[in-house]
Amino acid sequence: MIWVSVVLASVVPGVLIVGYLNRRGNPQDKAKGIGWQFIRYTVLTIAVPIVGILALNDALTGEAATLIAGAMGYAFGKTPKDE
């Protein structure tokens, strides 16, 4: 059970780094802002391991699920102007 938590926790830096590198693009390109895509990567990266760890430890309550769903709903429900 501990290995599953370790794997879930190690995914967080990996997805953030991949999201940042994807947003950064080539060094020759003009610098971009942080953008909604990176915010979505970040929200997803933080939410999925938290839900997994809470569910594995039988501690996922309605309050925690509501807060996590609200954060994901805001990040994915917003219509960005730059995309």
Side-chain angles (χ1 to χ4, degrees):
M1 178 91 77
I2 187 95
W3 290 107
V4 175
S5 297
V6 170
V7 169
L8 287 171
S10 66
V11 168
V12 173
V15 173
L16 286 175
I17 291 169
V18 169
Y20 171 72
L21 293 175
N22 185 26
R23 182 70 185 159
R24 185 182 68 174
N26 294 330
Q28 296 85 9
D29 293 342
K30 183 181 174 189
K32 302 176 187 176
I34 191 166
W36 274 101
Q37 191 66 27
F38 186 71
I39 293 171
R40 288 179 179 141
Y41 269 114
T42 304
V43 168
L44 192 62
T45 301
I46 292 170
V48 171
I50 289 174
V51 169
I53 291 170
L54 288 174
L56 285 173
N57 293 318
D58 205 21
L60 186 61
T61 62
E63 294 86 2
T66 301
L67 290 173
I68 292 167
M72 291 184 71
Y74 177 76
F76 288 95
K78 179 148 177 69
T79 305
K81 296 185 187 324
D82 64 337
E83 291 182 345

